[in-house]
């Protein structure tokens, strides 16, 4: 099946978008010699906001259609320093900062939050370049990494981060949960195999094309809709019983995350364990002497089978929905929007495009490597988890 090309264009500083089910929305190429007025109009300087904007009622990616939407941005965190280094992030709606809007994304999505930490640590301005396509499957992200490799090839690049596979599993979950008759895990098996292959492909392309990057990392997957998945599917298993969606999917999630971190170790990447950061409380809830988020963390000396057993059986009672992330025994933080999929964020939104702003937090506000909001929002938690693994110098 073929589709006509679809364009994302800037009109008077705003974005005009046409969506077609089953195909990506791409940014329109600017002809040689044409004016760049549209790009210039989208460059703005913002001041910090402390209130979270209201989430729109309609969600273009939540309608059940399998679509993708390019939401690229380039934002300079300006310390007024003499040097500027670049952080490049590839991925889907998570790194894009998607918040149920075609025209707006969270400014302080995880790559930006990480970039602000790095700006203070390195004493330099940091340009955060997000080459992200909301709704993209892992194979599409690999293609985007190859197509957009010039962004990380720039000699100012010091860090390259990526995340993928969330949409692969979301689509497989939808098909599994809605299928009737005998249960089939074929879609989940294919998602796991494709994700494994594409994660490694992305790593090899980044290594080949980002020679000046001092820090490379993959962010593994948290489980969106964890509590909501604790329901029976329509299909029946070999015993004639309706399968539990959560019990079926959690082992796949664990296997995928183990492979993400194991591949990272093999290819010289850090693995940011978003599953542990989001799904485990920041205190010891089961009395085993370990903080839950630490106990759930990937162990490089552990086999895949042992990791899956630990996540799905041994510590299963400590794996909790990210909408109620435990900060203390009496305090929680909501890491996901009401769509039960995308991370919450601090501050304001921006239009995809270019811009700059001063840091939201001063160096004095970052105590022990953490800004005051580090564990109160999903994107802030992920950005902190990325940055804490980065080197002290660029």
């Amino acid at each position: 099946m073929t589709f006509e090309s679809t364009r994302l264009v800037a009109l008077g500083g705003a974005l005009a978008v046409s969506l077609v089910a089953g195909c990506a929305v791409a940014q329109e190429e600017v002809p040689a010699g044409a004016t760049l007025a549209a790009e210039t109009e989208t460059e703005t300087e913002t001041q910090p906001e402390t209130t979270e904007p209201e989430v729109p009622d309609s969600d273009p990616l939540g309608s059940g259609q399998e679509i993708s939407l390019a939401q690229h941005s380039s934002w300079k965190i300006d310390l007024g320093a003499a040097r500027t280094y670049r952080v490049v992030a590839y991925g889907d709606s998570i790194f894009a900062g998607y918040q149920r809007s075609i025209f707006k994304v969270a400014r302080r999505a995880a790559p930006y939050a990480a970039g602000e930490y790095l700006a203070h640590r390195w004493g330099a301005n940091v340009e955060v370049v997000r080459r992200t396509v909301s709704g993209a499957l892992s194979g599409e992200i690999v293609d985007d990494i190859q197509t957009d490799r010039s962004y990380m090839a720039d000699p100012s690049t010091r860090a390259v981060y990526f995340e993928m596979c969330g949409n692969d599993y979301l689509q497989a979950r939808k098909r599994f949960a809605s299928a009737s008759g005998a249960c089939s895990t074929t879609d989940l098996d294919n998602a796991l195999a494709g994700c494994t292959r594409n994660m490694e492909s992305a790593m090899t392309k980044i290594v080949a094309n980002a020679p000046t990057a001092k820090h490379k990392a993959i962010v593994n997957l948290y489980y969106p809709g964890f509590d909501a998945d604790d329901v029976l599917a329509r299909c029946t298993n070999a015993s004639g019983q309706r399968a539990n969606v959560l019990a079926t999917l959690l082992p796949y999630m664990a296997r995928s995350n183990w492979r993400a971190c194991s591949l990272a170790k093999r290819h010289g990447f850090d693995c940011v364990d978003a599953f542990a950061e989001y799904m485990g409380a920041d205190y010891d809830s089961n009395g085993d002497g370990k903080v839950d988020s630490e106990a759930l963390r990937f162990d490089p000396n552990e086999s895949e089978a042992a990791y899956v057993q630990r996540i799905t059986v041994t510590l299963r009672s400590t794996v909790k929905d990210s909408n109620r992330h435990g900060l203390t025994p009496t305090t929680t933080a909501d890491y996901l929007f009401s769509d039960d999929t995308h991370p919450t964020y601090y501050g304001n939104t921006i239009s995809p495009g270019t811009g700059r702003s001063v840091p939201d937090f001063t160096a004095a506000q970052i105590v022990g490597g953490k800004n005051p909001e580090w564990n109160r929002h999903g994107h802030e938690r992920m950005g902190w988890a990325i940055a804490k693994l980065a080197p002290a110098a660029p």
Side-chain angles (χ1 to χ4, degrees):
M1 180 179 294
T2 60
F3 297 100
E4 295 181 0
S5 62
T6 311
R7 294 179 175 180
L8 170 63
V9 297
L11 300 175
L15 293 178
V17 180
S18 174
L19 298 178
V20 179
C23 66
V25 178
Q27 187 169 0
E28 183 177 33
E29 296 291 336
V30 179
T35 176
L36 295 180
E39 180 178 352
T40 302
E41 288 174 2
T42 64
E43 182 168 350
T44 58
E45 184 166 349
T46 67
Q47 296 301 320
E49 295 182 11
T50 57
T51 58
E52 185 175 294
E54 183 178 351
V55 181
D57 292 332
S58 61
D59 183 357
L61 297 187
S63 61
Q65 299 187 70
E66 296 175 1
I67 63 174
S68 53
L69 170 68
Q71 293 185 305
H72 306 313
S73 65
S74 176
W75 205 268
K76 183 177 180 180
I77 303 169
D78 195 346
L79 268 65
R83 298 294 299 272
T84 298
Y85 297 111
R86 176 177 287 187
V87 171
V88 182
Y90 298 99
D92 51 37
S93 57
I94 306 304
F95 270 8
Y98 180 78
Q99 47 90 55
R100 302 178 66 184
S101 170
I102 293 173
F103 303 104
K104 297 287 186 178
V105 294
R107 178 171 57 91
R108 290 187 64 87
Y112 184 104
E116 186 176 274
Y117 282 111
L118 298 182
H120 286 301
R121 187 179 306 169
W122 296 343
N125 310 317
V126 168
E127 178 193 21
V128 180
V129 177
R130 287 182 256 177
R131 304 301 297 177
T132 50
V133 180
S134 294
L137 299 172
S138 60
E140 295 176 273
I141 295 172
V142 170
D143 291 341
D144 291 337
I145 289 173
Q146 178 65 24
T147 301
D148 291 348
R149 62 190 181 278
S150 62
Y151 292 92
M152 60 178 159
D154 187 277
S156 68
T157 298
R158 290 297 181 274
V160 181
Y161 306 132
F162 79 98
E163 50 82 20
M164 59 170 54
C165 299
N167 291 304
D168 302 58
Y169 293 113
L170 286 176
Q171 291 186 15
R173 175 177 70 178
K174 177 182 176 182
R175 295 178 186 127
F176 176 83
S178 61
S180 57
C183 291
S184 171
T185 60
T186 298
D187 287 323
L188 290 166
D189 293 332
N190 290 340
L192 178 62
C195 176
T196 304
R197 180 176 61 253
N198 290 325
M199 287 189 295
E200 184 160 32
S201 179
M203 291 178 190
T204 59
K205 292 180 187 303
I206 290 170
V207 169
N209 291 286
T212 61
K214 300 293 184 64
H215 191 220
K216 299 181 288 291
I218 181 175
V219 179
N220 73 8
L221 298 171
Y222 57 88
Y223 193 131
F226 186 79
D227 282 353
D229 272 1
D230 192 13
V231 295
L232 297 178
R234 296 173 59 190
C235 63
T236 55
N237 57 27
S239 301
Q241 304 296 314
R242 292 171 64 189
N244 182 278
V245 178
L246 175 59
T248 303
L249 266 68
L250 185 57
Y252 281 92
M253 187 71 68
R255 292 169 67 189
S256 184
N257 283 341
W258 184 90
R259 294 180 187 188
C261 293
S262 295
L263 287 170
K265 180 182 178 182
R266 183 186 308 171
H267 291 279
F269 282 63
D270 277 328
C271 184
V272 180
D273 199 336
F275 186 90
E277 300 289 352
Y278 276 46
M279 313 299 294
D282 295 326
Y283 61 92
D284 179 7
S285 71
N286 64 345
D288 66 355
K290 298 179 181 179
V291 171
D292 293 357
S293 55
E294 291 297 327
L296 291 172
R297 201 171 301 283
F298 169 78
D299 181 350
N301 298 314
E302 194 173 37
S303 69
E304 178 174 326
Y307 174 81
V308 173
Q309 176 74 9
R310 178 162 59 90
I311 297 298
T312 63
V313 179
T314 309
L315 297 179
R316 170 64 182 82
S317 65
T318 69
V319 181
K320 303 295 184 182
D321 193 287
S322 301
N323 284 292
R324 295 180 302 280
H325 177 84
L327 302 179
T328 71
T330 58
T331 308
T332 62
D334 190 350
Y335 279 4
L336 298 182
F337 272 126
S338 57
D339 67 0
D340 216 10
T341 301
H342 295 96
T344 52
Y345 62 92
Y346 172 78
N348 63 326
T349 59
I350 58 174
S351 297
T354 62
R356 68 175 65 200
S357 60
V358 298
D360 295 301
F361 301 103
T362 66
Q365 289 178 289
I366 300 174
V367 180
K370 300 171 180 176
N371 71 40
E373 301 290 331
W374 78 276
N375 63 351
R376 299 180 184 179
H377 314 271
H379 274 299
E380 290 296 323
R381 183 63 177 251
M382 188 181 293
W384 166 78
I386 295 170
K388 71 176 181 177
L389 301 176

